[in-house]
Amino acid sequence: MDFRRINHLPPYVLAIINDLKMEARRAGKDVIDFGFGNPDLPSPDVAVDKLVEAATKERNHRYSASKGIPKLRQAAADHYKRRFDVDLDPETEVLNVIGAKEGFTHLMWVLLQPGDACLVPAPSYPIHIWGPIFAGAQIREVPLAQGDEFIQNLEKAWEYSWPKPRTLVISFPHNPTTVCVDLDFFARVIDFAKEREMIIVHDNAYADLGFDGYQPPSILQVPGAKDCCVELYSMTKSFSMAGWRVAFLMGNPEVVAALAKLKSYLDYGTFQPIQIAATVTLNEATEHPQLVNAIYQKRRDTLVEGLNRIGWEIEKPKGTMFVWAPIPPEYSDMNSVEFASFLVKEAEVACSPGSGFGPGGEGNVRFALIENEQRTNQAIRNLRKALTRLDGE
């Protein structure tokens, strides 16, 4: 059969390593898994308790609202006011989506159509690349860099693109590279977009995962941002609610309304007890993101300090739940899939090959901070034995 929308999808590179991991585990090996960024921390007790309570009430077993129940949208707006001092109208500037990936993908259907173009950093989280393509648009890859260099790369990509891009997708702190930015950077990106009448979509997935005193900003903090910006915020990492699929699109009211209109045809919203539990969590578990952040920072320290000890030199990231690690020069004869496969087979350590994140990812691997410190230290011991070319302790 001809599945035209997915015929040209390449093999999902990240699945290659997952298959190797599962094969090794079936053979009795204890593979330490830093591959898939699936948070292992438990959801807040208040979320679980409220979910159980709400699920026992029959009136919550019916279709809900695709926009999200009003109290949930109000709670999200209140959270943004506390966290970022951003004022949002819960009726026109906040929309509940069934996870950020669903929200982003359907947003691309709203903003783009065949013949359009979209600017996307390279490398990027895979759906940021494929979401515009699923909408029929072309992507223009912008090499990811820090500060001025990235702005210059945006200008070049715009100049040499035809048709001119309608949308810019960004996400900071960045997955997979962990690049972090400040409000001045966001202001410059907004100026760039306004001059070219573009819409900015910022995926703020790691809004609460900043280390060593760094607090990731929201692009909506920039005055006038809502003229051309929308932002996705998820409860997945901040509130350890990965499987719950609760996220929000916030910002420009026209864009929010457009996605709400599309969603009215596509779904009836998340299961209402989940929405109720998420509402209570946002209102009452306000300290949970700080607790999560502290755990991830300790895991980051354990992993990066351990890798440096064995001769794999890496800088500590300032944000996200990942470590983006250039393949050591001593192993430059391997590409990222080969190197990640080698680590599974020889060290019983799984990580993600950089090529799985599109152009610009090759030559790197990504570690997700989803193993505790004891398991991470075991991984370092395994890596030290396997990476015999390194000159470490």
Side-chain angles (χ1 to χ4, degrees):
M1 296 182 68
D2 185 16
F3 302 104
R4 288 171 293 175
R5 193 174 293 277
I6 64 171
N7 276 350
H8 300 294
L9 279 176
Y12 199 54
V13 171
L14 306 183
I16 296 173
I17 304 304
N18 189 63
D19 290 345
L20 285 174
K21 176 190 71 179
M22 296 309 297
E23 181 182 336
R25 285 181 170 173
R26 282 193 292 268
K29 295 183 178 179
D30 178 24
V31 178
I32 302 171
D33 188 9
F34 298 98
F36 182 33
N38 190 4
D40 65 312
L41 304 178
S43 303
D45 289 342
V46 67
V48 178
D49 293 343
K50 196 65 182 180
L51 174 64
V52 172
E53 177 190 326
T56 63
K57 297 179 180 178
E58 292 183 4
R59 66 175 180 272
N60 291 327
H61 293 191
R62 307 177 69 186
Y63 290 135
S64 188
S66 61
K67 290 177 60 176
I69 59 176
K71 287 184 179 180
L72 176 58
R73 287 182 277 117
Q74 182 66 62
D78 291 344
H79 177 71
Y80 253 55
K81 181 63 176 178
R82 288 191 303 269
R83 172 67 177 83
F84 300 111
D85 196 24
V86 169
D87 292 306
L88 292 164
D89 183 338
E91 286 301 313
T92 61
E93 296 175 335
V94 180
L95 175 67
N96 177 222
V97 293
I98 309 174
K101 286 181 74 172
E102 176 271 324
F104 176 83
T105 304
H106 289 150
L107 179 61
M108 294 299 101
W109 293 9
V110 168
L111 296 176
L112 300 166
Q113 63 182 11
D116 289 339
C118 177
L119 297 178
V120 183
S124 271
Y125 183 52
I127 198 59
H128 294 164
I129 298 170
W130 289 99
I133 295 174
F134 290 150
Q138 304 170 39
I139 59 167
R140 301 286 183 262
E141 290 125 0
V142 184
L144 188 65
Q146 301 274 2
D148 290 346
E149 186 178 351
F150 184 68
I151 300 295
Q152 292 166 8
N153 291 344
L154 280 177
E155 292 170 346
K156 289 178 183 177
W158 169 269
E159 181 180 351
Y160 293 109
S161 291
W162 187 262
K164 294 303 182 187
R166 295 168 53 89
T167 304
L168 167 63
V169 174
I170 52 176
S171 181
F172 297 103
H174 186 256
N175 175 16
T177 68
T178 75
V179 167
C180 295
V181 301
D182 57 20
L183 274 179
D184 180 65
F185 172 86
F186 277 147
R188 295 178 64 190
V189 172
I190 288 171
D191 288 342
F192 168 87
K194 283 186 175 180
E195 289 170 7
R196 294 159 179 83
E197 298 183 343
M198 296 176 66
I199 294 294
I200 297 173
V201 178
H202 180 235
D203 187 353
N204 202 10
Y206 305 98
D208 298 297
L209 293 184
F211 308 134
D212 305 320
Y214 171 70
Q215 290 194 327
S218 163
I219 198 169
L220 299 180
Q221 289 176 265
V222 177
K226 287 189 282 188
D227 294 341
C228 68
C229 298
V230 286
E231 182 165 84
L232 286 154
Y233 178 85
S234 170
M235 296 184 73
T236 292
K237 283 81 181 181
S238 299
F239 290 90
S240 307
M241 294 172 67
W244 299 61
R245 313 314 298 140
V246 180
F248 306 91
L249 181 73
M250 303 174 171
N252 181 275
E254 291 182 57
V255 176
V256 169
L259 182 56
K261 183 176 181 179
L262 177 65
K263 281 175 61 64
S264 71
Y265 282 85
L266 296 175
D267 67 71
Y268 293 104
T270 304
F271 184 43
Q272 189 152 297
I274 291 178
Q275 294 190 54
I276 293 168
T279 302
V280 174
T281 302
L282 285 168
N283 289 335
E284 298 184 12
T286 55
E287 301 302 315
H288 193 81
Q290 289 89 341
L291 300 175
V292 168
N293 186 83
I295 292 170
Y296 282 122
Q297 180 166 324
K298 287 181 181 179
R299 292 180 177 184
R300 176 209 63 170
D301 291 344
T302 301
L303 178 62
V304 175
E305 290 167 8
L307 292 175
N308 279 307
R309 279 199 310 273
I310 66 172
W312 190 347
E313 297 182 1
I314 297 168
E315 293 186 7
K316 288 182 177 179
K318 289 171 57 182
T320 77
M321 57 177 290
F322 304 108
V323 170
W324 185 241
I327 295 173
E330 294 87 348
Y331 290 86
S332 60
D333 57 316
M334 300 183 190
N335 65 34
S336 60
V337 172
E338 292 169 339
F339 184 67
S341 300
F342 170 81
L343 295 184
V344 173
K345 295 173 183 176
E346 302 299 326
E348 299 180 8
V349 170
C351 58
S352 298
S355 60
F357 302 94
E362 188 53 79
N364 303 272
V365 293
R366 190 198 72 176
F367 290 86
L369 301 173
I370 55 172
E371 295 279 10
N372 62 37
E373 292 161 72
Q374 180 181 354
R375 294 276 288 170
T376 300
N377 281 321
Q378 180 60 53
I380 297 298
R381 291 190 289 270
N382 292 1
L383 290 167
R384 184 179 62 233
K385 294 176 183 176
L387 297 173
T388 55
R389 303 180 199 174
L390 298 184
D391 183 22
E393 292 180 8

